[in-house]
Amino acid sequence: MHTFSLKNKAFPAFVLCMLSYLLAGTVATLMSTYLPVAIPELLGKSVDEAQLGQIGAYLNTAFLVGWMLGGLCLGIVGDKIGRIKTLAFSIFVYGFFTLLTVFVINWETLLFYRFLAGIGVGGVLVFSTVYISEIWPESSRPIALGILAVSFPIGIVLTGSLNIVFAYWRSAFWLGLIPMFLAVVTILFIPESEQWHQAKPKQMGLQESIFSAPYKKRLIAGSLVFGSVLIGLWAIFSWFPTWIQSLLGAGVDGQQERGLSMMLLGLGGITGGFFSGFLIKKLGSRHTLMFTFAGCFLACCLLFLTNVRFTPIIYFETALLSLFFGISQGALSSYIPELFPINIRATATGFCFNIGRFFTATAVFFVGSLVSFFGGFGNALLFFSITFLIALLVAFNDRAPEPESVPSSSCLK
């Protein structure tokens, strides 16, 4: 079999993966942005902050639980039937259930749709990353994966743009038609990974376990780091628009402030993700991650400790925080898949990316529940930013080899 030609095959595949990754970012954050206006309509009455927090907690948690299950279960499926079939299925699922949100009549049905959309997003993030890690030339792979990770915050920018363009929340969810179209293009025109094809004979025999001795330490460290970052990141992303709204005066609808803030969360992440590959080549993955986690925690302290009402400085501080977010996601997307051999790569990457989502979903739920205990959304979000310090500690103590120094039997050639 031939290898992928960068010009003829890998680049179009990269573009499609990037688009599906981008729209996953939009789908993941779109409901959070419209939450303050969607819930009152679905309930048919005005709601106070506590009730909004409770229903929002259920919706965000359902999405993250679906994301976790999608990443874990579809990772196993994709090691068996191939990257492209599983990727196309995942794209279609999150597009279809995003589209159905247009017609939802109550928040309980919306909860179900968000859960199923989360399953699709979980599969897309695993298989876009794994697929590109297998088809892209090794010399520039960290940069390509860093740029891929940029797609997610671009999707968040799109969320903010949709919030500004579409005042009526249902109109924005017609977006689901686009990933459904991309799913068809993927299954018809994007070729399967040659490396996965070459690894298939191994899968006919005894399947190697992700918990076996050579990979156990990497699996634990990768899961702890990624899970800790997820808790902090999604607690903030899921509740950030609601925190912005809480800083505004009574009677201010906050559409522009929420939209611009979400756009800045995305723009800073785009910049950070783009440069993550260059930082890895310069500093190595471990030192890049340590620098990033320290920056995330300090930026959270600046943002949530110094602002008690909305002022334009929040826009700058939001961009700074998202810059570190972007670097972390680009670095982790590059580092984790290459720690494992091809025949278990999707399963192991899905495990590292998603086992922490159970705790993430729990944390996101409790942000809404703990608002009263901590005295506001800002204090609650600051509490969950401690997870970045946990990730920093794990990275500091992790002595697993860098991807480029992993023995050849366990990584890409």
Side-chain angles (χ1 to χ4, degrees):
M1 293 185 177
H2 343 291
T3 59
F4 272 84
S5 160
L6 179 61
K7 181 177 179 180
N8 297 328
K9 295 181 179 179
F11 184 73
F14 177 83
V15 170
L16 191 138
C17 286
M18 191 170 179
L19 287 173
S20 64
Y21 212 100
L22 181 154
L23 291 170
T26 302
V27 168
T29 53
L30 194 58
M31 194 68 246
S32 294
T33 302
Y34 283 105
L35 188 68
V37 292
I39 297 306
E41 179 183 321
L42 293 173
L43 292 177
K45 61 180 183 180
S46 60
V47 296
D48 57 24
E49 188 176 87
Q51 190 175 14
L52 182 64
Q54 184 179 36
I55 294 175
Y58 283 117
L59 292 173
N60 289 326
T61 300
F63 182 83
L64 288 171
V65 169
W67 187 336
M68 173 189 69
L69 293 176
L72 288 172
C73 298
L74 292 176
I76 298 170
V77 172
D79 276 334
K80 296 292 187 182
I81 71 170
R83 312 314 193 200
I84 290 303
K85 290 179 182 177
T86 315
L87 177 61
F89 172 78
S90 301
I91 298 170
F92 184 85
V93 166
Y94 86 67
F96 180 69
F97 287 102
T98 298
L99 179 63
L100 286 185
T101 302
V102 174
F103 311 104
V104 71
I105 58 174
N106 55 59
W107 77 266
E108 291 87 356
T109 305
L110 177 61
L111 184 82
F112 180 65
Y113 291 167
R114 291 299 289 166
F115 169 75
L116 293 172
I119 288 177
V121 167
V124 165
L125 297 196
V126 169
F127 282 97
S128 296
T129 302
V130 169
Y131 182 68
I132 295 303
S133 75
E134 291 177 0
I135 71 169
W136 205 263
E138 186 174 6
S139 59
S140 59
R141 192 176 301 140
I143 296 172
L145 287 168
I147 295 172
L148 179 66
V150 160
S151 306
F152 198 88
I154 290 176
I156 298 173
V157 173
L158 180 59
T159 299
S161 302
L162 289 173
N163 182 259
I164 293 172
V165 173
F166 296 105
Y168 186 46
W169 65 276
R170 291 182 189 271
S171 301
F173 285 86
W174 285 100
L175 179 81
L177 287 170
I178 300 176
M180 292 172 67
F181 171 76
L182 289 179
V184 175
V185 173
T186 300
I187 200 67
L188 292 179
F189 299 108
I190 303 301
E192 184 56 81
S193 161
E194 294 287 353
Q195 292 198 22
W196 178 80
H197 273 305
Q198 292 166 10
K200 277 185 73 175
K202 291 184 180 180
Q203 298 172 13
M204 302 303 178
L206 181 64
Q207 179 69 29
E208 197 169 8
S209 171
I210 62 173
F211 300 104
S212 60
Y215 316 114
K216 189 174 182 180
K217 182 178 178 182
R218 297 175 201 161
L219 195 72
I220 293 172
S223 299
L224 283 173
V225 170
F226 207 92
S228 297
V229 172
L230 283 177
I231 290 174
L233 191 153
W234 279 102
I236 292 168
F237 267 53
S238 297
W239 291 101
F240 199 79
T242 308
W243 174 68
I244 292 291
Q245 188 69 40
S246 73
L247 299 180
L248 297 168
V252 179
D253 73 1
Q255 180 186 353
Q256 179 175 332
E257 289 83 356
R258 294 194 316 271
L260 287 174
S261 296
M262 290 301 288
M263 288 178 67
L264 286 169
L265 275 178
L267 288 170
I270 290 167
T271 306
F274 179 79
F275 284 107
S276 62
F278 297 97
L279 285 173
I280 289 172
K281 291 176 75 69
K282 182 72 173 177
L283 304 176
S285 295
R286 180 169 165 266
H287 288 96
T288 299
L289 291 173
M290 289 169 60
F291 164 75
T292 301
F293 300 149
C296 284
F297 178 73
L298 293 175
C300 283
C301 291
L302 178 65
L303 190 61
F304 299 122
L305 283 177
T306 64
N307 295 289
V308 294
R309 60 185 180 85
F310 190 88
T311 62
I313 194 66
I314 287 177
Y315 292 136
F316 169 77
E317 294 169 357
T318 298
L320 179 64
L321 175 60
S322 65
L323 176 69
F324 289 110
F325 279 166
I327 296 172
S328 72
Q329 296 307 289
L332 287 168
S333 295
S334 176
Y335 183 62
I336 290 177
E338 295 194 2
L339 293 178
F340 304 98
I342 295 165
N343 61 313
I344 63 166
R345 179 170 293 152
T347 303
T349 300
F351 187 92
C352 290
F353 279 13
N354 292 283
I355 193 63
R357 292 196 196 279
F358 172 78
F359 303 101
T360 304
T362 304
V364 169
F365 177 84
F366 278 110
V367 171
S369 304
L370 294 176
V371 169
S372 297
F373 179 80
F374 284 109
F377 282 105
N379 291 336
L381 294 177
L382 181 63
F383 172 78
F384 283 103
S385 69
I386 294 172
T387 57
F388 297 119
L389 292 182
I390 296 173
L392 174 61
L393 182 62
V394 174
F396 178 78
N397 287 288
D398 178 28
R399 294 298 188 269
E402 296 286 329
E404 62 269 21
S405 63
V406 175
S408 60
S409 60
S410 302
C411 67
L412 294 176
K413 300 256 171 76

